Amino acid sequence: MTELEDNRPATVRFAPSPTGYIHIGNARTALFNWLFARQNHGEFILRFDDTDEARSKTEFAEAIRADLDWLGIVPDTVAWQSQRGEAYAAAANRLREAGLLYACYETGEELERRRKLRLARRLPPVYGREALKLSDDDRKRYEAEGRRPHWRFLLPNFAENPFETRRTEVHWDDVVRGPQTVDLASMSDPVLIREDGTYLYTLPSVVDDIEMGVSHIIRGDDHVTNTGAQIALFRALGSEAPAFGHHNLLTTATGEGLSKRSSALSIGALRETGYEPMAINSLAVLIGTSESVAAMPSMTALLELFRPEFASKSAAKFDPSELTTLNRALVHGLSFDSVSGRLSDLGISGPKAEPFWNAVRKNIDFVREATRWWAVVEEGPADEETLDGDDLEFVRTAFSLLPPEPWDGATWSDWTDAAKAATGRKGRALFMPLRIALTGIRSGPELADLLPLIGREGTLARRP
Ligand code: GLU
């Protein structure tokens, strides 16, 4: 377990855009932040990156909160960027006054044409800052044509003349990846404000990180290249940048990135399938790290293992079948007390519920599969297998030898000993026909455990 060296509490944030349901890859980011905060006596902020009004939806934000809650992640603070426009406008003005935010009027096609020209001239395809050359008259002409400006942040990658950029390295010691370097001369001045006056993610994110006292920005490594410009923006706004950590991303089995649109792997869909939250948490955190993937029964257990730097640098393939293996391992270990409420919702309650759970939990992958065995105990055998010929004769004989009540864990061996003595059958030839008569299924929980639950009356009712 890692602790910040000076024991300062960490403040982290998970900043999803509420434009869809979160998936296991988003959960990885949330969990890295959550576990890091817990290890460092810190605070976890859930910050909705909802400045894109057209695509952000309250229902997605609510679903994200509910999904996090279900996973066991309860934010200390929840913030909405759509409510913080004034802070962003103030920061934009500050940058404008410092000459660091400039109006641009190019259309997408114009930019694309220039990009191709630069490539043809073997120049890096970055924005050439042509808008800095516009005169007031040029700007007025554009405005008269109905063009609205978008606004770019002037990166500090030059000495005197912004048209003569020079290599400008920005370094940070990434909490996950170790020392990182990016060159600000290799990138375009980022657009911070769109033509319609709305903000792209960068400025609100940096302004909030400053105002909310974020100490560590932990997120997917698709943001590594944004970090250089963001560090420059922190400085331009008079603040030192926080620490950064970029973890590897999860991909599908075929190597494609996960998307909020591919809802099959959404946390909500996985919950509906019946996965335990800790199966998802265990896989979401441990996959693609130097730890082996194993079912951690609690966040506390996961906390013991978690180290941000244990994430590897390459993407990790997410295999849903691994989730089932983990779920099975967790379900096998679930105590009755921890599931009794859920069992009761499934109609499994009363004095038999606890011994029943202890009898069946090792035979199921999902808690709800207990209902299949509850029906076998309470209602009668499943109609999957039938008996015929000698087996039928044998079972009829065995049923005439059922021990008297009370029944307990020894009844099964008393009964089968009697049947063996009477018929000479042993091993599988003895057990399997009885299992089929009692349950209608060829494999399942120990019959010694099931028999007292079925009871003498229930057993006699199954006599073929
Ligand atoms: N909304 C951004 C994302 O989900 C946040 C990135 C960040 O954490 O800075 O990718």
Side-chain angles (χ1 to χ4, degrees), residues 105-122:
Y105 292 86
E106 295 91 346
T107 62
E109 294 90 74
E110 282 163 350
L111 289 173
E112 184 53 25
R113 211 174 322 122
R114 279 196 210 144
R115 206 180 72 87
K116 285 194 180 134
L117 267 174
R118 288 184 74 100
L119 282 172
R121 289 191 206 138
R122 298 186 179 275

Side-chain angles (χ1 to χ4, degrees), residues 36 91 107 135 151 163-164 200 223 227 234-235 247 251 255 283 291 354 373 414 444 451 455:
F36 190 80
T107 62
S135 64
W151 297 80
F163 301 102
E164 282 172 22
L200 281 102
H223 286 289
T227 302
F234 274 99
R235 292 178 184 156
H247 64 73
T251 67
L283 190 60
E291 285 293 332
E354 181 163 6
W373 291 106
D414 293 347
L451 196 61

Side-chain angles (χ1 to χ4, degrees), residues 93-246:
N93 280 338
R94 189 169 166 187
L95 293 172
R96 264 186 215 107
E97 277 159 21
L100 297 176
L101 190 64
Y102 61 100
C104 305
Y105 292 86
E106 295 91 346
T107 62
E109 294 90 74
E110 282 163 350
L111 289 173
E112 184 53 25
R113 211 174 322 122
R114 279 196 210 144
R115 206 180 72 87
K116 285 194 180 134
L117 267 174
R118 288 184 74 100
L119 282 172
R121 289 191 206 138
R122 298 186 179 275
L123 290 168
V126 295
Y127 179 60
R129 293 180 165 155
E130 289 80 357
L132 281 180
K133 294 182 184 151
L134 296 177
S135 64
D136 281 349
D137 282 348
D138 293 330
R139 278 188 278 269
K140 279 195 194 114
R141 192 165 34 80
Y142 280 134
E143 303 262 349
E145 278 173 21
R147 291 205 199 190
R148 307 286 308 137
H150 56 274
W151 297 80
R152 287 187 192 259
F153 170 52
L154 185 64
L155 288 171
N157 54 10
F158 57 93
E160 301 291 329
N161 179 351
F163 301 102
E164 282 172 22
T165 59
R166 60 173 189 192
R167 187 168 176 88
T168 310
E169 289 185 354
V170 173
H171 305 275
W172 75 94
D173 192 6
D174 198 283
V175 176
V176 178
R177 299 163 62 88
Q180 304 288 306
T181 302
V182 295
D183 173 15
L184 293 184
S186 71
M187 55 188 79
S188 299
D189 288 340
V191 177
L192 301 188
I193 306 175
R194 300 184 185 91
E195 280 84 25
D196 64 2
T198 60
Y199 298 96
L200 281 102
Y201 132 85
T202 309
L203 181 68
S205 179
V206 169
V207 168
D208 286 349
D209 288 336
I210 294 172
E211 292 193 13
M212 296 175 188
V214 169
S215 64
H216 293 76
I217 294 179
I218 301 175
R219 56 188 178 184
D221 63 15
D222 49 338
H223 286 289
V224 169
T225 49
N226 297 335
T227 302
Q230 286 177 17
I231 289 175
L233 190 52
F234 274 99
R235 292 178 184 156
L237 289 170
S239 179
E240 247 331 288
F244 288 87
H246 294 92

Side-chain angles (χ1 to χ4, degrees), residues 24-25 54 57 72 93 126 147 152 169 180 204 221 233 240 256 272 337 377 387 391 406 416 452-453:
I24 188 147
K57 295 218 161 58
N93 280 338
V126 295
R147 291 205 199 190
R152 287 187 192 259
E169 289 185 354
Q180 304 288 306
D221 63 15
L233 190 52
E240 247 331 288
E256 291 138 53
E272 289 296 305
D337 286 345
V377 167
L387 292 162
D391 283 346
T416 50
L453 295 168

Side-chain angles (χ1 to χ4, degrees), residues 309-330:
E309 67 277 15
F310 73 6
S312 50
K313 294 217 176 87
S314 48
K317 283 201 171 107
F318 165 75
D319 173 2
S321 72
E322 254 188 289
L323 210 44
T324 303
T325 310
L326 295 177
N327 208 68
R328 182 183 306 132
L330 287 173

